[in-house]
């Protein structure tokens, strides 16, 4: 019997008795309840970074420093572990960024786990800061409106990365450095119009399957295709609702302590 035939039979036998690898699940214990998050294998850079941070205990005792009801809850500022309720948070992480991994089939339904980021041209993610979507239930009219918002974000992204627009952006940066307020205002107006009218990209349409989910459990669709999603809550959606009801100040900072007690990788 040929060797390659024996090897094939052995492979088929082993795959029939050995379990396939399962998506990684993370238990998130908060002072408002426990959630189970499943990480996406399609975003390996974000998945592996999150696993590393969970195993290192980076998230243990951090606060949810930004909460917006009917939108999302955000955590991961490493300064929040020892911060008071009056400290300004949201600007700290571990100092590196993760390249964007924006996957078309991932969308901002309720429970989606996303990577926070600055407004950088690469859409690279914060090393530690993340958000979990609460959102709200949508109808077709709202979804159409959000589809337009998605494409506005995409137009801005592609415009800022278009080499043809570099001279204008360089001039705007130079005017800001020179503190020439009149020129800054003029160039900003010109850039706003150019990015709004930018059309050299394929416009995004919300898939019907995504629309149905948004119309049933809700979410925040305007962020689709612009932020990396790398997991979702598969147990404990009610905890998100509990977190979202916490009173906040004008900066969306909770006025009472909302804390991650611990995170761990489930076997």
């Amino acid at each position: 019997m040929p060797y390659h035939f024996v090897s094939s039979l052995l492979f088929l036998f082993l795959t029939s008795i050995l379990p396939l690898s399962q998506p990684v699940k993370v238990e998130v214990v908060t002072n408002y309840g426990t959630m189970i998050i499943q990480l996406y294998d399609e975003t390996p850079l974000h998945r592996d970074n999150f696993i590393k941070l969970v195993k290192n205990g980076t998230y243990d005792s951090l606060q949810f420093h930004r909460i917006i009801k009917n939108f999302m809850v955000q955590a991961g500022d490493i300064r929040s572990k020892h911060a008071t309720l009056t400290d300004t948070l949201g600007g700290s992480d571990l100092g590196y960024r993760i390249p964007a991994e924006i996957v078309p089939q991932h969308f901002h339904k309720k429970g989606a786990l996303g990577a926070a980021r600055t407004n950088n041209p690469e859409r690279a993610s914060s090393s530690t800061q993340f958000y979990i979507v609460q959102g709200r239930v949508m109808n077709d009219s709202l979804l159409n409106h959000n589809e337009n918002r998605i494409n506005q974000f995409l137009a801005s992204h592609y415009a800022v990365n278009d080499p043809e627009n570099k001279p204008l952006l360089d001039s705007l940066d130079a005017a800001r450095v020179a503190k020439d307020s009149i020129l800054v205002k003029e160039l900003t107006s010109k850039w706003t119009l150019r990015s709004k009218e930018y059309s050299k990209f394929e416009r995004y349409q919300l898939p019907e399957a995504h629309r149905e989910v948004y119309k049933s459990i809700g979410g925040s669709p305007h962020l689709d295709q612009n932020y990396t999603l790398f997991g979702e809550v598969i147990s404990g959606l009610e905890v998100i609702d509990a977190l979202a009801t916490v009173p906040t100040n004008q900066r969306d900072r909770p006025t009472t302590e909302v804390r991650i007690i611990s995170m761990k990788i489930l076997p």
Side-chain angles (χ1 to χ4, degrees):
M1 184 179 295
Y3 173 77
H4 65 82
F5 182 72
V6 175
S7 299
S8 299
L9 288 176
L10 180 60
F11 172 77
L12 290 172
F13 173 71
L14 289 174
T15 54
S16 68
I17 63 172
L18 294 176
L20 297 174
S21 61
Q22 297 295 315
V24 175
K25 296 180 178 66
V26 181
E27 180 186 72
V28 182
V29 181
T30 78
N31 58 335
Y32 280 78
T34 299
M35 297 176 281
I36 305 298
I37 291 174
Q38 181 169 293
L39 303 182
Y40 295 148
D41 287 335
E42 298 89 350
T43 51
L45 300 178
H46 287 73
R47 177 200 62 201
D48 293 349
N49 180 71
F50 198 72
I51 290 171
K52 177 189 70 175
L53 298 176
V54 170
K55 288 182 175 180
N56 289 345
T58 300
Y59 290 119
D60 296 351
S61 297
L62 296 191
Q63 298 179 47
F64 282 90
H65 64 271
R66 185 174 179 231
I67 292 178
I68 304 176
K69 188 177 181 181
N70 296 325
F71 180 29
M72 58 90 218
V73 297
Q74 185 171 333
D77 185 318
I78 58 174
R79 288 184 57 247
S80 68
K81 182 173 292 190
H82 304 294
T84 68
L85 290 174
T86 58
D87 289 337
T88 300
L89 296 173
S92 298
D93 57 16
L94 291 177
Y96 63 90
R97 297 193 299 192
I98 308 167
E101 295 180 292
I102 297 173
V103 180
Q105 67 261 35
H106 296 163
F107 61 108
H108 284 78
K109 62 185 176 182
K110 183 176 183 178
L113 171 69
R117 64 173 175 83
T118 61
N119 191 28
N120 64 87
E122 300 83 16
R123 301 186 292 191
S125 304
S126 164
S127 55
T128 62
Q129 292 202 39
F130 66 88
Y131 60 90
I132 303 174
V133 174
Q134 183 196 32
R136 60 193 178 107
V137 174
M138 298 277 165
N139 57 31
D140 281 318
S141 178
L142 285 171
L143 288 170
N144 291 338
H145 172 72
N146 278 276
E147 187 174 273
N148 287 331
R149 291 184 69 186
I150 293 169
N151 283 297
Q152 288 171 12
F153 287 135
L154 289 174
S156 178
H157 167 69
Y158 287 109
V160 80
N161 285 284
D162 188 333
E164 292 183 7
N165 292 325
K166 191 175 186 302
L168 173 58
L169 292 171
D170 287 345
S171 297
L172 179 55
D173 287 341
R176 287 170 176 158
V177 171
K179 298 183 179 179
D180 186 336
S181 59
I182 295 176
L183 185 57
V184 167
K185 184 177 181 180
E186 177 187 333
L187 294 176
T188 298
S189 178
K190 187 175 182 179
W191 169 246
T192 300
L193 180 62
R194 184 177 297 187
S195 61
K196 185 177 181 180
E197 294 179 345
Y198 192 83
S199 60
K200 291 193 291 186
F201 68 99
E202 184 176 351
R203 288 182 63 84
Y204 179 75
Q205 286 188 314
L206 281 166
E208 193 58 38
H210 295 187
R211 283 177 169 265
E212 291 305 312
V213 174
Y214 283 132
K215 288 190 284 188
S216 59
I217 66 170
S220 298
H222 68 282
L223 299 180
D224 283 358
Q225 309 309 308
N226 283 285
Y227 288 76
T228 296
L229 294 171
F230 62 101
E232 62 184 84
V233 174
I234 60 172
S235 176
L237 286 175
E238 69 280 358
V239 177
I240 305 170
D241 293 328
L243 296 177
T245 61
V246 174
T248 58
N249 61 23
Q250 292 180 335
R251 299 193 304 272
D252 303 317
R253 178 80 194 279
T255 55
T256 186
E257 193 171 271
V258 185
R259 196 175 287 275
I260 299 169
I261 297 172
S262 66
M263 284 195 194
K264 70 176 181 180
I265 308 297
L266 294 178

